[in-house]
Amino acid sequence: MTAKAPEETAPKKRLAIFGSTGSIGTQALDVVRAHHELFAVEVLTAQNNDALLVEQALEFNPNMVVIGDEGRYANVKAGLAKTNIKVFAGEKALEEVAAIDCYDVMLAAIVGYAGLKPTLNAISIGKAIALANKETLVVAGDIVMQMAREKRVPIIPVDSEHSAIFQCLVGETRNPIEKVVLTASGGPFRGRKPNFLVNVKRDHALQHPNWNMGAKITIDSATLMNKGLEMIEAKWLFSLKPEQIEVVIHPQSIIHSMVQFEDGSMKAQMGLPDMKLPIQYALGFPKRLPNSFPRFDFKKNEQLTFEEPDLRTFRNLALAIQALNKGGNLPCIMNAANEIAVWAFLKNRIGFLDMMAVVEQAMQAVTFIEKPTLNDYYDTDAQSREFAAALVKL
Ligand code: NAD
Ligand code: MG
């Protein structure tokens, strides 16, 4: 008899997918589907989409599911009546389920500030985090990373740029980073000026040239706020100083980011833009899993080009750099105002350029705290939301 290969005998990694009905969540389930011998799904959560949550639960048979919107509890309960799957509802349940010791890795794929508390709870019980939710680190990166260090919890990035940097750093533990270069596609309005942007409507802004993502991050990509959030995310993930983080526009989205070491040598991670790749890398880490995704072909992509970002037009990126430099609760203020501004833009209540004005005004108005506690961050988020909501006349 021959011995089984280790992966055949190894227990499955048990996943808790927070935000399973979103763009990242559904792609993560595609990865699980393709590697069901490696992964088991223990927790699935969604905010509103009860029908998809039920469908996913029937397919993946988790231990429990949470629907954020309590008004949809009955639908989920009815849909899963013939199963043993436990059903919970509401924001508190989301936080509590994150703290139940029934999984190995949390995929943090909720969008926005709402992802912070479940992720903190997962870290507090020592669970590894595959982190898509960048807002968690933008809001409270110091506290999240400190808790992760104390609990010896790995935070493995899912965001493609940070996954790229993470991959470039494998085998480089003793080699300090000189700088990282985050690539940005530039979004649908690359090269445009304010006289064009002033008239941009939501449907146009939702058409990203290279990536198919959730609505909020798609708008953030169009305003370049996404890259600003990612600079702050990179600072915390890789313990960088603000001046070590650069952004370059790379419209083809083939180089996902780069690391420069102290000898001047640069490493880049490349591939076709497909979020399944960084999701799969984070879930499979440290192992690279085989797949049949389309491969990059140099013959079909003869030019990879690079440009400076236009910080005067895309002021959100300049504001984020200011928040990155000043630190304290300024990134938290910025993030909350941005969530409100994006929401208002998606509802056609404010224009494209108004989003940047809302963020800027909130950053000036909400009280700055240099060394915030976790409660300070919660209060700051509430204050900044309230301020921004008044501006967009919610
Ligand atoms: P999405 O809008 O497609 O999905 C969000 C998920 O979170 C859904 O399952 C939704 O039900 C849930 N959700 C929304 N609001 C919630 C709330 N208040 N409470 C609890 N759950 C809530 O978003 P997405 O594009 O999948 O992005 C998820 C996160 O991943 C974001 O932080 C985003 O920045 C990050 N990210 C996404 C991509 C991408 O390609 N989509 C790439 C990099 C990083
Ligand atoms: Mg990204």
Side-chain angles (χ1 to χ4, degrees):
M1 222 165 81
T2 51
K4 282 188 172 179
E7 57 266 36
E8 283 179 56
T9 50
K12 291 183 179 185
K13 244 186 223 178
R14 298 168 304 161
L15 306 179
I17 304 186
F18 276 62
S20 64
T21 55
S23 161
I24 293 289
T26 51
Q27 294 183 83
L29 288 174
D30 288 344
V31 169
V32 172
R33 217 176 260 120
H35 296 280
H36 55 86
E37 72 292 354
L38 298 178
F39 304 113
V41 177
E42 292 297 326
V43 181
L44 294 172
T45 88
Q47 181 62 13
N48 298 313
N49 195 340
D50 50 82
L52 183 55
L53 182 64
V54 166
E55 192 184 312
Q56 293 177 338
L58 290 173
E59 178 180 353
F60 291 96
N61 194 28
N63 185 347
M64 45 190 103
V65 301
V66 187
I67 181 84
D69 177 356
E70 296 182 38
R72 294 167 192 268
Y73 172 78
N75 291 353
V76 180
K77 191 74 189 156
L80 300 179
K82 293 197 181 124
T83 72
N84 294 324
I85 301 167
K86 300 180 201 74
V87 181
F88 303 96
E91 198 181 320
K92 276 272 158 276
L94 207 62
E95 292 164 28
E96 285 163 15
V97 165
I100 298 176
D101 184 12
C102 67
Y103 63 95
D104 303 311
V105 181
M106 169 192 272
L107 174 64
I110 287 177
V111 60
Y113 174 83
L116 173 63
K117 289 182 190 173
T119 306
L120 279 173
N121 282 355
I123 298 172
S124 76
I125 61 161
K127 299 304 175 188
I129 309 290
L131 187 75
N133 178 277
K134 61 193 83 184
E135 294 91 345
T136 287
L137 290 183
V138 173
V139 171
D142 52 347
I143 289 175
V144 173
M145 294 310 287
Q146 180 60 30
M147 196 194 274
R149 275 190 293 274
E150 280 166 20
K151 299 282 176 184
R152 297 181 179 276
V153 157
I155 310 253
I156 303 161
V158 169
D159 212 349
S160 57
E161 296 75 3
H162 306 76
S163 175
I165 294 169
F166 189 89
Q167 293 179 53
C168 290
L169 291 175
V170 170
E172 302 282 3
T173 38
R174 285 161 194 268
N175 294 321
I177 297 171
E178 192 165 86
K179 71 172 184 186
V180 301
V181 182
L182 299 177
T183 51
S185 71
F189 307 130
R190 181 172 60 90
R192 297 294 192 176
K193 295 292 170 198
N195 62 351
F196 175 88
L197 295 175
V198 72
N199 295 317
V200 157
K201 293 283 174 281
R202 91 188 266 286
D203 291 346
H204 191 180
L206 281 172
Q207 282 160 21
H208 194 278
N210 303 347
W211 299 95
N212 189 1
M213 311 176 284
K216 195 246 172 192
I217 185 177
T218 306
I219 301 302
D220 283 343
S221 300
T223 64
L224 293 199
M225 176 54 92
N226 183 49
K227 213 47 54 180
L229 299 175
E230 291 183 353
M231 291 178 84
I232 300 169
E233 182 186 12
K235 165 181 161 167
W236 295 119
L237 278 173
F238 306 112
S239 305
L240 298 170
K241 297 194 184 73
E243 57 274 18
Q244 290 176 291
I245 309 168
E246 244 176 60
V247 168
V248 66
I249 304 287
H250 166 47
Q252 298 81 18
S253 296
I254 296 298
I255 295 183
H256 298 309
S257 279
M258 302 172 248
V259 178
Q260 182 172 302
F261 295 94
E262 287 185 322
D263 59 355
S265 181
M266 282 190 124
K267 275 178 152 182
Q269 187 265 339
M270 304 169 67
L272 291 175
D274 181 348
M275 280 308 295
K276 283 211 271 292
L277 203 51
I279 292 169
Q280 178 183 291
Y281 185 81
L283 297 182
F285 183 78
K287 206 169 152 32
R288 287 186 185 273
L289 308 177
N291 63 42
S292 54
F293 306 159
R295 272 32 178 175
F296 174 69
D297 179 353
F298 276 100
K299 294 186 287 299
K300 292 187 190 140
N301 298 270
E302 290 181 342
Q303 279 204 332
L304 298 182
T305 60
F306 305 93
E307 326 166 352
E308 283 283 321
D310 175 359
L311 296 182
R312 275 154 64 114
T313 302
F314 295 90
R315 275 174 33 238
N316 268 350
L317 182 54
L319 292 169
I321 292 171
Q322 191 190 324
L324 168 76
N325 284 324
K326 193 157 176 198
N329 65 342
L330 198 55
C332 175
I333 298 171
M334 176 189 80
N335 178 70
N338 182 57
E339 288 191 24
I340 298 290
V342 170
W343 185 87
F345 175 72
L346 285 169
K347 297 267 175 207
N348 294 316
R349 298 205 182 168
I350 61 173
F352 189 83
L353 295 176
D354 297 334
M355 287 191 278
M356 314 188 192
V358 169
V359 172
E360 183 162 30
Q361 287 180 52
M363 286 171 70
Q364 285 163 1
V366 180
T367 311
F368 178 70
I369 304 173
E370 200 173 337
K371 292 215 179 309
T373 62
L374 188 54
N375 277 327
D376 289 333
Y377 283 128
Y378 296 157
D379 292 345
T380 299
D381 178 78
Q383 278 177 37
S384 182
R385 264 167 216 277
E386 198 181 325
F387 179 86
L391 282 184
V392 304
K393 297 190 181 53
L394 286 182

